[in-house]
Amino acid sequence: MPDTAHSRWTLAIHGGAGSMTRDLLTAEEDAGARAGLSAGLDVGEAILRAGGSALDAVEAAVRVLEDDPHFNAGRGSVFTFEGRNEMDAAIMDGRDRNAGAVARTTATRNPVSLARAVMAHSPHVLLGSEGADMFSVEQGLEQAGPEWFATPERLRQLEEVKSRSGSAFDIDMKYGTVGAVASDVHGHVAAATSTGGLTGKRWGRVGDTPLIGAGTYADDRACAVSATGAGEFFIRIGIAHEIAARVRFTGETLDQAAQAVFAELGEMGGVGGVIMAAPDGQCAWLFNTTAMYRGSASADGARHVAIYGDEG
């Protein structure tokens, strides 16, 4: 039964922060992204409304976004410089700070579910590359070939990046990470994040998404955070943990904590966004880019889907 002391469930999702503008996105791309965000909210909301766990809700919401080629995760992941799809994902349970993550996985249809399997069925937190793929097969997770992940549009984007410079990657970040945070009726929080990384990334680059405390973090004593943006900066700051620590130790609100940390991010030259959820049902987001694909739903019936910065 729901805990009446924590009856305010909430869910927030993102599909990446970046340089998207109304001029850059076609009407079809705009509508498709909004439909994908709505679909992710639908499945997560159904779980939370029925009294389900925040952990189940964030995994389910991210799976929907991973299957949607509008977003850079799972199907529709961007290409490495060498023309591969290498995906990272993480999930964290705020109840006990248990976590699982994978880096550079190539054959699991839903990397977020592989991250959860690492959390639930291995003694480790982070598995990478061939080992992560091997573990996925052993766990019986659904596999997919390169033809599932690769899309013509992502290949075109790689060719565009390569045409600008022989070793450049997508510094403009038009095609971002996906993530979800939630608080459930029992007062627990969880976070999940998944990404294909940066177009044109090289040398086995891994960003902040699978690094607990950088791109993904959840702690019932504070909040859950999922990040998207310039991963190298998010790693150096430890953004997700830094926000949670400020909430826990200083009593700052989600907004206050995020603003303080983003001031530091801006000073360093980093850009991106975060979504956050607290055990009491509060949620918030912040980004210092032109736009962030985002959505939220809560027990009071409020629902919001947006892309651009002027949408609130």
Side-chain angles (χ1 to χ4, degrees):
M1 294 293 292
D3 182 345
T4 57
H6 296 280
S7 59
R8 284 194 58 194
W9 61 262
T10 191
L11 171 69
I13 63 176
H14 71 76
S19 61
M20 300 81 69
T21 65
R22 288 179 173 84
D23 292 335
L24 180 65
L25 296 182
T26 67
E28 292 76 14
E29 289 169 337
D30 182 297
R34 291 177 192 272
L37 292 168
S38 292
L41 288 176
D42 286 343
V43 297
E45 179 179 349
I47 291 169
L48 293 167
R49 192 173 294 282
S53 72
L55 190 67
D56 287 343
V58 297
E59 180 189 7
V62 168
R63 283 175 60 95
V64 169
L65 298 177
E66 286 177 334
D67 284 344
D68 189 326
H70 288 94
F71 305 107
N72 173 22
R75 187 177 184 217
S77 287
V78 299
F79 284 90
T80 68
F81 187 84
E82 294 78 18
R84 288 163 45 92
N85 303 114
E86 296 180 353
M87 293 152 283
D88 307 330
I91 193 167
M92 189 166 186
D93 188 343
R95 291 176 295 184
D96 55 7
R97 286 171 288 160
N98 201 8
V102 291
R104 302 183 64 212
T105 185
T106 64
T108 303
R109 173 169 171 158
N110 292 110
V112 70
S113 293
L114 177 53
R116 185 163 182 181
V118 172
M119 178 180 73
H121 303 299
S122 87
H124 309 300
V125 171
L126 175 61
L127 300 181
S129 302
E130 294 86 354
D133 289 340
M134 183 185 305
F135 182 76
S136 178
V137 173
E138 291 176 359
Q139 291 297 307
L141 298 180
E142 183 176 358
Q143 304 297 294
E147 69 282 355
W148 168 257
F149 301 108
T151 64
E153 174 61 11
R154 296 300 191 224
L155 184 58
R156 184 199 65 77
Q157 291 161 5
L158 174 64
E159 292 169 349
E160 177 186 333
V161 167
K162 282 187 170 183
S163 71
R164 295 200 301 261
S165 172
S167 60
F169 57 82
D170 178 30
I171 58 173
D172 294 331
M173 297 190 313
K174 303 184 191 72
Y175 327 109
T177 298
V178 307
V181 295
S183 61
D184 60 33
V185 295
H186 309 288
H188 302 305
V189 298
T193 317
S194 182
T195 189
L198 293 175
T199 300
K201 62 184 180 180
R202 302 188 74 178
W203 309 299
R205 181 262 186 189
V206 175
D208 61 304
T209 290
L211 302 185
I212 301 304
T216 309
Y217 196 72
D219 185 344
D220 277 2
R221 300 170 299 178
C223 62
V225 183
S226 176
T228 171
E232 279 68 19
F233 293 94
F234 283 54
I235 292 168
R236 289 159 60 191
I237 295 172
I239 272 192
H241 182 270
E242 193 87 350
I243 291 171
R246 294 186 73 98
V247 171
R248 180 183 173 199
F249 292 116
T250 74
E252 291 178 344
T253 65
L254 299 178
D255 284 321
Q256 289 169 337
Q259 290 283 358
V261 176
F262 265 60
E264 182 179 353
L265 175 68
E267 290 172 359
M268 294 176 67
V271 295
V274 292
I275 54 174
M276 302 159 284
D280 65 0
Q282 298 291 320
C283 77
W285 52 53
L286 179 68
F287 54 98
N288 65 356
T289 50
T290 305
M292 181 169 74
Y293 299 107
R294 59 200 187 276
S296 64
S298 60
D300 61 10
R303 187 178 172 107
H304 189 65
V305 171
I307 299 176
Y308 311 109
D310 58 7
E311 294 186 83

